[in-house]
Amino acid sequence: MGSSPSFPVVSLPRERIVIVTGGNTGIGYEAAKHIAMMGATVIIACRSEQRATDAIKRMNEDYEQIKADGKLEAGHINEAKLPVEFMQLDLASLKSTMDFIEAFKASGRKLQVLLCNAGLAAVEREITDDGYEMQFQVNYLTHFLIVAHLLPIMKNSGEDCRIVFTSSLAHKFARFDLDKAQAQNPSDFDKLRYYGNSKLYQIQHMFSLLRRQHGQQVAVMSYHPGGVNTELGRHYQKRRLYSFFLSAMSTLRIFRTPFQGAVTLVDAAVNPAKKGLNGVYLVDCKPASMSSDARNEKFQEELWTYTLECLKQYLPEDVLSALEGPSS
């Protein structure tokens, strides 16, 4: 894969609020830690409070070691602990997601950065309690719901607000077919393709959202982190061939570390040069090409309509009106 560029270190005010879904492990962990080191208040939103508590403890241990090694940079804070918090969020449950949304709304906080990072990769076919294919719901649908409800807050949170979707090169191997989106027929299901589909939907969501929010101050981007050896791979472990492949890639150092994979995410979240950047798919911090399906406006609008139908009981009229934007 080669080495990825380093992200800038930017001094951020404590009142700048950043939500990272899945910030307790992998890319999200590194992004949360390094953004907090720049001073922003970071909320890691994940399912397990114990895992989040353990992650925050590790972040502060990493931070102490960085300070002890004299590796703090200009723009880093030098305090007793990092400004990182936990909020509970189970992306496989729309009810849990609404609880998270309502809890954040009740806090009265503003929100400048939303990193839609958490996800599953190539899991076995499973239908959630809400009735959706697991990767569709966790990687795409639930993040759509979060964006829909928190977008009005972001619009009123000052300048330079950003939404970033963790997509993947796998979107180029997707097959857009909403009739089969939920894999009702088990023979339709292919774990890798359905992972790619969910990542395609994220990019299509970006474009549909921007079409409706033109002239607003919330920038929307997506990115591919590269081939990263993270906990996503745990879903492959029952396959001996993949385990061998993972070992070989690690030995040859072809995989990126979670730190390297987080570079583009952090860059998209904090780099002043990315202020106002919209509708891009970033690879190694630079705009890159997307699949024709990702750019297909007809497909984007079909997905938008389909998604609103999926979420209709969770999108009251005021939220739906704000989501559809000033042109509706």
Side-chain angles (χ1 to χ4, degrees), residues 4-240:
S4 56
S6 59
F7 53 74
V9 176
V10 181
S11 181
L12 302 172
R14 186 60 52 87
E15 60 269 21
R16 190 164 181 82
I17 307 297
V18 179
I19 291 176
V20 185
T21 65
N24 63 308
T25 188
I27 293 169
Y29 172 90
E30 294 293 344
K33 178 177 69 178
H34 287 278
I35 293 172
M37 284 174 59
M38 299 179 210
T41 298
V42 178
I43 297 169
I44 58 173
C46 56
R47 182 174 56 183
S48 168
E49 183 173 4
Q50 184 59 58
R51 293 191 71 188
T53 300
D54 292 344
I56 293 171
K57 181 174 181 289
R58 291 197 310 274
M59 287 181 195
N60 279 297
E61 289 170 350
D62 292 349
Y63 179 51
E64 286 301 317
Q65 190 61 54
I66 289 169
K67 289 192 291 184
D69 293 341
K71 293 183 178 179
L72 287 181
E73 300 181 39
H76 282 152
I77 59 173
N78 188 356
E79 299 182 7
K81 64 178 182 177
L82 295 172
V84 183
E85 306 172 13
F86 160 72
M87 288 188 69
Q88 191 162 44
L89 169 65
D90 181 358
L91 292 167
S93 165
L94 295 177
K95 179 184 182 303
S96 170
T97 302
M98 286 305 305
D99 289 344
F100 163 78
I101 289 167
E102 294 306 325
F104 186 82
K105 288 180 178 179
S107 74
R109 286 172 148 176
K110 294 184 176 182
L111 176 63
Q112 287 80 21
V113 181
L114 173 59
L115 304 182
C116 297
N117 166 76
L120 299 172
V123 296
E124 299 295 337
R125 178 180 177 272
E126 182 178 350
I127 304 302
T128 68
D129 290 343
D130 296 299
Y132 301 107
E133 190 273 322
M134 181 65 77
Q135 292 176 111
F136 173 87
Q137 179 162 336
V138 170
N139 296 357
Y140 165 69
L141 186 67
T142 308
H143 282 114
F144 187 107
L145 182 60
I146 294 170
V147 169
H149 277 269
L150 298 188
L151 186 62
I153 295 174
M154 298 187 76
K155 288 181 182 179
N156 291 290
S157 294
E159 293 186 354
D160 194 16
C161 294
R162 310 181 188 192
I163 298 171
V164 185
F165 296 107
T166 298
S167 185
S168 171
L169 177 67
H171 87 273
K172 295 189 176 184
F173 306 101
R175 181 176 298 164
F176 188 80
D177 184 351
L178 293 179
D179 289 337
K180 298 180 179 180
Q182 305 312 324
Q184 288 95 341
N185 185 343
S187 65
D188 292 333
F189 185 76
D190 176 276
K191 64 177 72 174
L192 293 172
R193 175 160 287 131
Y194 271 68
Y195 171 67
N197 290 352
S198 71
K199 294 303 177 179
L200 170 67
Y201 301 150
Q202 289 180 308
I203 299 175
Q204 292 173 324
H205 179 197
M206 172 183 72
F207 283 116
S208 295
L209 185 63
L210 286 172
R211 246 191 318 277
R212 289 161 171 80
Q213 301 298 325
H214 60 83
Q216 303 299 312
Q217 66 252 44
V218 181
V220 189
M221 296 169 268
S222 59
Y223 83 104
H224 166 56
V228 181
N229 184 6
T230 70
E231 282 201 356
L232 283 176
R234 69 186 183 272
H235 301 294
Y236 294 101
Q237 295 308 311
K238 292 182 180 179
R239 298 164 61 188
R240 284 191 291 176

Side-chain angles (χ1 to χ4, degrees), residues 305-326:
T305 301
Y306 179 82
T307 304
L308 295 186
E309 180 64 23
C310 292
L311 295 174
K312 60 184 178 182
Q313 73 183 94
Y314 299 100
L315 297 174
E317 188 56 40
D318 61 327
V319 172
L320 189 58
S321 177
L323 183 64
E324 288 290 353

